[in-house]
Amino acid sequence: MVLNTDINYLQGVGPKRAATLLAELGIRTVEDLVTYYPYKYVDRSRFYTIREANENLPYIQLKARIVRFEKRGEGRSQRLVATIADGTGTMELVWFKGLKFVTERYRINQPYIIFGKPQRYGRLLNIAHPEIDILIDGAEQKIQGLQAHYNTTEKMKSSFLNSAALHKMIYTALSDPTLQIPETLPDDMVRQFALMPRHDAIHNIHFPKNVQLLEQAQRRLKFEELFFIQLSIIRQTKLREQKYRGYIFGTIGDMFNRFYHECLPFALTGAQKRVLKEIRADLASGKQMNRLLQGDVGSGKTMVALMTALIAVDNGFQACIMAPTEILATQHYQSISEQVAHIGLNVRLLTGSTKRSERETIATELQNGSLQLLIGTHALIEDNVVFKNLGLVVIDEQHRFGVAQRAKLWAKNIQPPHILVMTATPIPRTLAMTIYGDLEVSVIDELPPGRKPIATYHYFDNKREALNQFLKKQIDAGRQVYIVYPLIQESEKLDLKDLENGYQQVREAFPDYKISMVHGKMKAADKEREMTAFAEGKTQIMVATTVIEVGVNVPNASVMVIENAERFGLSQLHQLRGRVGRGADQSYCILMSRYELSNDTRKRLQIMVDSTDGFVIAEADLNLRGPGDIDGTQQSGLPFDLKIANLAHDGKILQTARTVARDLLEKDPELTNEENKCLTLQLAKLTKSIINWGVIS
Ligand code: ADP
Ligand code: MG
């Protein structure tokens, strides 16, 4: 049997299961099947007692009886809790879904084998959504060693394709004595880095004989996965560099110089100066610039964007700045057109609500070249927006844009313009290296002078009264306040209700103040009106969902209250917090949460209290949640699925894989050497599925 064999032909699979596997997991061939790796291993050689259990243990198994079932909470937070006992103590099992199914299926007092990850909620330990098996006397003796567990979908489970069934299929495939699993890496590389051969690694990843062999198998497969991604990304980047020349912006001319000497409203920070130097070097190099500018909220990225645009204009080119929301684009437009009024730069704004006549002016001026800087939303990437000679594209808060949208901007010229991508969601290095490949990164790691770090506190509802008093004091001192409620896509209706309830409560608590409200379901014009009222200080309190997360600038606002903070990701909390602290006054961020919190959530909120450094927070987020959940990647998606490597934990392997890939391409750019031929096949498979953000962003 070869790896390419259709799983249809595998014993015990059959057409129906094959169809389900294809539809649910994309598994078509034996190779797909045996490279579908387990997501965890349960040490089934040992049972724990409830007394021994603690939240620091990984998955454990217990022998216990259910003492009682109980429903707790209401609405969204309704859950089923089972108390279990084994003679050494009690703990709880918790279900948030399938409550009816659970109560019907499991019996009080029946002994069960219970698997799961213990967590601590308040004083009690619990396991959420445990796996439960009936305990049959003597059965536990049969199960031994490390047992692999596989992710399955609801559909699969309902047709009995559970983890155990998958395990069995994989066993069937791997025990075929004719099955060949060829090596994908050059022999020298395998030897030099002491990698387990692929054949052995695949066997051990599914059926580890012991922990050491499992670890070797994991290391080998992670290395392979990361190596091919790096090889692909670095190779594409090199090809792009050969193919495209960059416009050379060699002059620093009138616009830039006059702006710098006559209009700059403040002295640039050292970090802004350094980044501008890096950008200038790129622009003059003859290579097309492709640079990511990371800088915390409020670090002054817009000024860098503007001055870069002035360089483009000085060299006879047009520039554009694209922002993710209308509000943000409008704010950029207002502040920038004010700042450049004196030097006579022609700037215009293009958004979804730009009037027809203005659109026509923009179209004409873009094509005759008299429009020098166009600011806007994704309206900029529509096909009918045609530039005469676009030389620079700045993309603000890049993670809000999908990959395809950015690719469209890229295509607005025969020769691609220079690209500057700006983000306030710092991306941990491992992630940046993997997503962006060889994209150059600049960092603004310094805030403008005079900013006081935002003081952050985490409170429960019992502090509500004190909080309201505090807010009143701030408002009476002339400040303004944000109060933000979560908005999660799946339950928009419920969230909106939360927001409206919140709004009512705020009105009752603050009868003497004016309150604005903004949420995503409002018409753009209404949103605009509310935002403007707040920005102009006509209202004192802004009740909102996360639509205000990005970019809005109201320096007079000094308090950010985040309700249900436990429901936000770290980067999102950080972004929201960045809405305050923009003026010279002391600002505050108050995280309100319910009392019962999981360990991870507690840690997350604590990190916010402890740190205001976006990079520290991004690293912590990656560690706690894994790369798929990091804000900024989930929206536009990681450009590929990692089957086994984990960017939060495998930074070292990634670094090695990257270095090896780079060296190899230095020596053999076309991969034509005999020993590297085996790489091209694997690379071809992969390249189809990888989108290189470094190339298209
Ligand atoms: P972000 O990096 O979050 O986009 P902005 O560009 O919006 O930050 O800048 C935040 C605020 O700081 C703006 O009001 C801007 O005018 C101001 N600012 C930027 N650079 C400086 C500086 N060097 N000194 C003082 N204030 C600055
Ligand atoms: Mg900004």
Side-chain angles (χ1 to χ4, degrees), residues 265-269 272 295-303 332 339 396-397 422 424 444 448-449 451 551 553 555 579 582:
F266 36 67
L268 296 179
T269 62
Q272 282 171 319
D296 229 326
V297 195
S299 59
K301 294 185 293 293
T302 320
M303 184 50 73
H332 279 335
Q339 284 165 350
D396 196 13
E397 307 294 352
M422 308 198 293
I444 304 188
R451 300 263 174 85
N553 192 14
R579 294 306 107 215
R582 310 196 132 224

Side-chain angles (χ1 to χ4, degrees), residues 35 127 191 199 258 346 378 422 426 529 599 654 670 693:
T35 56
I127 296 180
R191 231 172 297 127
H199 172 276
R258 282 185 56 211
N346 187 6
H378 43 259
M422 308 198 293
R529 196 191 54 236
N599 284 325
L654 173 59
E670 305 296 328
W693 288 14

Side-chain angles (χ1 to χ4, degrees), residues 679-690:
L679 295 172
T680 46
L681 185 73
Q682 201 69 8
L683 199 59
K685 273 192 214 161
L686 197 73
T687 305
K688 264 187 260 160
S689 64
I690 290 190

